Amino acid sequence: MHLKGENVSFGYKRNNLILKDVNISLGSGEVLGLIGDSGSGKSTLCKILAGYENKYQGKVTLDEKEIPPKGYNPVQLVFQHPEKAVNPKWRMNDILNEGHFVSQDILEAFGIKNNWLNRWPNELSGGELQRFALARALSPKTRFLIADEITTMVDSITQAQIWNIVLDIVEELNIGVLVVSHDRNLINRLCNDTVYLKDINNT
Amino acid sequence: MSTAVVTVNRGLFRGLNLRQKTLLIIGSTSLLLLGIVVSSVFLGGEPLQTNFGSKNLAPSLEHPFGTDWMGRDMFVRTLEGLGLSILVGGLASTISTVLTVILGLLSSAGKTADSFVSWLVDLFLSIPHLLLIILISIGLGGGATGVIIAVALTHWPSLTRVVRAEIKQLKTQEYIHISRNLGKSKWWIASKHILPHLVPQILLGTILMFPHAILHEASVTFLGFGLSPHEPAIGIILSESMRYLSAGYWWLAFFPGLSLLIVVLAFDMIGENLGKLMNPKNAHE
Ligand SMILES: Nc1ncnc2c1ncn2[C@@H]1O[C@H](COP(=O)(O)OP(=O)(O)O)[C@@H](O)[C@H]1O
Ligand SMILES: [Mg+2]
């Protein structure tokens, strides 16, 4: 299976493009790195690939077909700030199982403790919340994971732990991953291949 | 945190924490208002006796608020008037809240609908409120129905504006996008993600609408465009009393006016304290 972005151009304002003719292709089971300076449009590209932003030019396809706007999206996006990715009025248990019923195996793999499930989001740390966000996104129906700076806000030990778990799970489920970061070392450690996003407004 | 607790415990309610104190205030004020409504309903059953033998009496133990020019007990009249005011206020707030919810949902449905709602809000807010109530009331033929509908139809715009802005802000949240990506429908997201955030705001808005509605009804009635002179309304009592002020019968206006003020402040107090309880900082404590 292939997720492709072809000739993607986008600007938040008219006459001010952030992305210009960007091409990117990601295969099942592949772990691809995306590097770029801050403000170069990495997050913007992620949103386009995952269908959050749809006023772009160009094509985003899954096996040459457009991704339907309704129903479960096989392309799941996880963000840098997990506290924004959870409804503060929901308990963790409901947050976790919003998309699919997360198996006990996955919970154990992520080190999610059962007594965390009854808590509110503001009673967990960023690293703990990020584990929930990832477990929620990694359903059996997910084919691609877009990981936009998902470990930028946590310490290096937690970072290593989280990536070990994610890589295990995506390998087992044959999910393709786009690892977005400004940290070259991290990308070199995790990815088979890397693409560089040039900042078209700053060169 | 500890300093806050200390200052509270030095105050009136020794030994209670902030939350308990807030609940106590809400509870006792609500009880007072409920008491007024219930007693006014019971008093409303029997006609108020006119007793020309005891007219224009100053406040005493027997008649705490004095009596009027027909010998009617002003305490009973005030109580009935307040009860009516609270009922009118309650009806108006309820209708306004329903309108707010409908318009809020409408504005979240699409761009055109949203511009329409926003235009309607601006239109209503651009006309002086009291004038609008009087115009609608007259347009509906005046009387009790006229003023109740007019008060009900004019208190939704500010709450609608708040709710609309809140919905707009919520829709940009990442967890809403995520929910959509997890395959959830528009209505599922509206009811499970958005509504829980709006309920406290709407509840609070409804309670804070009460005093507005009550005062507006009273002023329109006072000006002679509202409830008919046969109704035991506070506005009627006050406007009648004005004629007797120069005769030195100060209690005719003073006690009803003061009571109205207390009722209005009581609602404000409930709203303010509920707001404190719902503050996101201590929402889950
Ligand atoms: N919602 C938005 N509205 C307007 N401009 C935005 C918005 N989000 C990002 N931008 C701008 O787009 C550019 C790219 O942002 P982003 O994609 O977040 O970059 P990166 O993730 O590579 O740091 C930045 O200049 C940023 O200021
Ligand atoms: Mg970014």
Side-chain angles (χ1 to χ4, degrees):
Chain A
M1 227 182 191
H2 273 86
L3 173 66
K4 266 191 203 159
E6 290 168 276
N7 298 320
V8 173
S9 298
F10 177 81
Y12 287 101
K13 285 183 225 104
R14 232 171 262 209
N15 305 326
N16 182 18
L17 286 185
I18 306 284
L19 303 170
K20 188 162 187 292
D21 291 328
V22 173
N23 289 288
I24 191 164
S25 170
L26 180 62
S28 289
E30 190 184 348
V31 181
L32 179 68
L34 176 66
I35 300 200
D37 297 332
S38 174
S40 59
K42 302 184 295 297
S43 296
T44 307
L45 180 61
C46 291
K47 286 182 182 158
I48 291 173
L49 290 175
Y52 283 50
E53 182 60 65
N54 47 26
K55 290 189 210 85
Y56 59 91
Q57 277 158 10
K59 268 204 306 200
V60 173
T61 56
L62 199 60
D63 278 350
E64 310 298 327
K65 285 193 287 284
E66 272 192 33
I67 303 167
K70 283 191 179 149
Y72 191 92
N73 191 339
V75 184
Q76 289 289 321
L77 174 55
V78 176
F79 298 95
Q80 178 174 3
H81 300 286
E83 61 282 357
K84 291 187 197 162
V86 294
N87 189 333
K89 303 249 174 201
W90 283 27
R91 280 185 197 274
M92 292 316 299
N93 191 34
D94 300 322
I95 292 170
L96 181 70
N97 296 307
E98 185 177 359
H100 71 292
F101 189 77
V102 178
S103 72
Q104 194 62 36
D105 288 351
I106 300 262
L107 289 189
E108 273 165 28
F110 273 112
I112 293 174
K113 305 209 177 76
N114 275 324
N115 69 25
W116 293 357
L117 298 180
N118 277 324
R119 297 198 193 164
W120 301 100
N122 63 1
E123 296 165 344
L124 292 173
S125 74
E128 289 162 353
L129 283 177
Q130 194 63 294
R131 293 161 200 256
F132 280 91
L134 286 162
R136 173 178 62 181
L138 291 170
S139 104
K141 284 190 284 182
T142 300
R143 301 317 324 146
F144 293 94
L145 175 69
I146 316 279
D148 185 6
E149 310 257 18
I150 59 168
T151 53
T152 305
M153 305 304 282
V154 302
D155 60 86
S156 55
I157 297 174
T158 312
Q159 178 176 63
Q161 276 177 350
I162 288 181
W163 274 114
N164 281 342
I165 308 158
V166 171
L167 290 185
D168 276 353
I169 296 174
V170 297
E171 192 179 311
E172 196 173 309
L173 297 174
N174 198 30
I175 291 174
V177 189
L178 185 66
V179 184
V180 181
S181 180
H182 59 272
D183 180 355
R184 257 168 218 280
N185 291 329
L186 179 73
I187 299 253
N188 289 340
R189 238 182 308 138
L190 300 174
C191 306
N192 328 105
D193 222 343
T194 308
V195 290
Y196 183 79
L197 187 65
K198 212 168 67 177
D199 191 339
I200 59 167
N201 293 309
N202 256 334
T203 41
Chain B
M1 235 13 246
S2 64
T3 53
V5 171
V6 168
T7 43
V8 169
N9 284 354
R10 266 210 308 261
L12 198 51
F13 308 102
R14 215 169 268 273
L16 294 180
N17 68 25
L18 194 58
R19 193 184 164 82
Q20 287 167 324
K21 187 186 155 199
T22 312
L23 281 172
L24 192 72
I25 293 176
I26 294 175
S28 47
T29 341
S30 309
L31 216 61
L32 170 76
L33 296 171
L34 196 70
I36 293 175
V37 173
V38 168
S39 48
S40 84
V41 167
F42 277 114
L43 288 171
E46 35 194 292
L48 213 52
Q49 345 150 244
T50 46
N51 181 354
F52 289 100
S54 59
K55 62 181 179 174
N56 294 332
L57 293 179
S60 63
L61 275 182
E62 201 188 341
H63 302 289
F65 287 10
T67 63
D68 66 5
W69 59 97
M70 287 163 82
R72 293 176 295 189
D73 181 70
M74 283 308 287
F75 181 67
V76 176
R77 280 195 84 194
T78 303
L79 217 51
E80 286 190 7
L82 288 177
L84 186 68
S85 289
I86 294 174
L87 286 181
V88 171
L91 201 63
S93 321
T94 312
I95 295 175
S96 298
T97 304
V98 171
L99 283 174
T100 297
V101 172
I102 293 173
L103 289 171
L105 285 176
L106 192 65
S107 85
S108 73
K111 262 214 167 100
T112 338
D114 181 50
S115 329
F116 171 71
V117 170
S118 140
W119 172 78
L120 209 61
V121 168
D122 288 341
L123 179 74
F124 269 78
L125 287 179
S126 67
I127 306 170
H129 199 151
L130 211 51
L131 185 66
L132 193 62
I133 295 179
I134 293 173
L135 286 179
I136 295 180
S137 177
I138 291 175
L140 289 168
T145 347
V147 72
I148 289 172
I149 294 177
V151 170
L153 283 184
T154 52
H155 281 85
W156 56 268
S158 37
L159 185 58
T160 301
R161 173 178 273 185
V162 172
V163 165
R164 180 176 160 264
E166 178 79 8
I167 291 177
K168 240 191 181 144
Q169 192 266 335
L170 282 168
K171 281 174 103 181
T172 66
Q173 294 295 310
E174 282 174 8
Y175 57 82
I176 303 277
H177 284 280
I178 290 172
S179 191
R180 216 173 289 149
N181 244 14
L182 292 173
K184 301 300 180 193
S185 71
K186 215 169 162 175
W187 287 110
W188 195 94
I189 291 173
S191 65
K192 304 270 178 165
H193 277 296
I194 295 182
L195 205 59
H197 286 268
L198 298 181
V199 166
Q201 288 228 351
I202 291 176
L203 202 70
L204 201 62
T206 308
I207 290 170
L208 289 176
M209 221 185 271
F210 250 87
H212 276 260
I214 290 173
L215 279 182
H216 277 131
E217 178 268 310
S219 17
V220 172
T221 301
F222 178 81
L223 292 173
F225 297 103
L227 300 178
S228 78
H230 313 295
E231 311 276 355
I234 286 284
I236 298 286
I237 295 175
L238 288 176
S239 69
E240 283 177 355
S241 308
M242 286 303 130
R243 282 183 262 142
Y244 293 86
L245 266 188
S246 50
Y249 306 147
W250 56 272
W251 58 87
L252 292 182
F254 178 75
F255 288 111
L258 185 68
S259 311
L260 180 66
L261 194 68
I262 290 173
V263 165
V264 165
L265 287 178
F267 273 111
D268 240 16
M269 217 149 107
I270 294 178
E272 210 172 278
N273 281 287
L274 265 184
K276 262 192 229 160
L277 278 187
M278 288 169 185
N279 185 343
K281 260 206 299 209
N282 43 25
H284 299 314
E285 276 169 14

